[in-house]
Amino acid sequence: MVKIVLTSAEQSKLTPDTVLQMLKTGNDHFVNDKLTARLYSAQVSASAGGQYPKAVILSCLDSRIPVEEVFDQGIGDVFVARVAGNIVNEDILGSMEFGCKVEESKLIVVLGHTGCGAVKGAINNVKLGNLTELLDKIKPAVDSSQSFNGDKTSKNPDFVTAVAKKNVQLTIKNIRKQSEILRDMEKDGEIKIVGAIYDLSTGKVTFM
Ligand SMILES: [Zn+2]
C-alpha cells in the first residue's frame, strides 16, 4: 500500500487515543520489518502546500533512533524535536505549543531510550562546554532515582534505564508545569502527553 499524506480533514477526525494507537501499530511494523511503502517524491509534492501532523515527538539526539521509521511515519506525519536527553527548555516548549495549538497535533510523546549517553553523562557528572548546562537538566532524574536497588553507576544498564524513565516522567511534569497552553489543551482533552522508552537492542517502544 502506498501512503500519500495526511490531510486537514483526516487530521481533524483523529483523537489523542487513535494517534497513540497508530504510533503503537507503526512501531510493530518497524520491529517486524513491515514498514509502509512510501513514494517520498510524491509525498514531498503532496505536502508542499501545508502540513497536518498528528503528533509531536520529543526524542534524544541518539543516531540509533530514526524517529519517523521507528513509528512508520512519512513526510508530513509527525513533528520531531530532538535534543540530547529529551529534555525541555522554552524553545522546545514553544515548538510543542506550535505543533499542538497552531498545527492541531493530538499527541505529545516524550521518547527516552535505554543506554542513553546523555543520562550516563548526567550520572557521571560530566562537565564539557555547553553540555554541562544540558546535563544539569537531567540531574533531577538522577537525584530522584537514588532509591534504585543495586549499583547506581552508569555501568549498570538497569540503573541507566531507570534514570531514563524518571527523566521522561520529569520532562512530562515540566511540560505541564511550564506550558499553560499545553496543560489546558490536555485538561480539555484536545491532546494527550505520554512517555515512552525505546529499547536500543530490539527497536521496541514501550509506552509508560
Ligand atoms: Zn540518549
Side-chain angles (χ1 to χ4, degrees):
M1 188 188 76
V2 175
K3 179 85 176 68
I4 302 300
V5 291
L6 208 58
T7 63
S8 173
E10 284 167 345
Q11 185 203 42
S12 65
K13 276 188 222 142
L14 297 171
T15 68
D17 286 325
T18 54
V19 173
L20 180 58
Q21 192 50 54
M22 289 163 103
L23 296 185
K24 286 179 179 171
T25 303
N27 183 242
D28 280 346
H29 294 172
F30 176 69
V31 296
N32 292 302
D33 284 323
K34 298 228 164 79
L35 288 182
T36 304
R38 290 184 171 86
L39 294 174
Y40 282 107
S41 58
Q43 283 206 317
V44 168
S45 51
S47 61
Q51 59 172 346
Y52 308 97
K54 55 173 107 63
V56 180
I57 302 170
L58 171 62
S59 166
C60 181
L61 191 71
D62 199 292
S63 68
R64 295 163 291 183
I65 310 166
V67 178
E68 278 88 346
E69 284 90 342
V70 162
F71 293 107
D72 193 15
Q73 301 299 310
I75 291 167
D77 284 336
V78 288
F79 288 108
V80 179
R82 303 192 66 152
V83 60
N86 43 268
I87 49 89
V88 282
N89 58 19
E90 57 185 16
D91 301 319
I92 302 268
L93 289 169
S95 300
M96 289 175 166
E97 289 168 357
F98 170 74
C100 294
K101 193 71 184 179
V102 181
E103 296 290 345
E104 299 178 35
S105 286
K106 314 293 178 196
L107 185 72
I108 293 176
V109 180
V110 178
L111 183 65
H113 67 102
T114 63
C116 182
V119 165
K120 289 179 187 172
I123 294 169
N124 292 339
N125 209 16
V126 167
K127 308 274 182 209
L128 177 74
N130 290 291
L131 185 58
T132 304
E133 204 186 325
L134 192 158
L135 296 181
D136 281 347
K137 296 191 168 76
I138 304 173
K139 285 201 182 137
V142 180
D143 294 341
S144 52
S145 300
Q146 291 307 306
S147 60
F148 179 84
N149 199 2
D151 175 26
K152 291 191 275 283
T153 70
S154 63
K155 290 196 173 65
N156 181 357
D158 291 341
F159 182 59
V160 174
T161 300
V163 176
K165 279 184 190 165
K166 180 55 82 174
N167 186 48
V168 166
Q169 290 164 351
L170 292 181
T171 297
I172 291 174
K173 204 172 158 189
N174 286 334
I175 294 169
R176 289 176 181 142
K177 195 164 100 186
Q178 295 166 28
S179 170
E180 195 183 350
I181 289 176
L182 297 172
R183 185 169 66 237
D184 287 350
M185 288 187 83
E186 190 182 36
K187 212 181 293 166
D188 295 342
E190 294 171 69
I191 62 166
K192 270 192 179 174
I193 306 172
V194 299
I197 294 285
Y198 176 85
D199 189 325
L200 282 187
S201 61
T202 63
K204 176 98 188 118
V205 172
T206 303
F207 285 87
M208 295 157 62

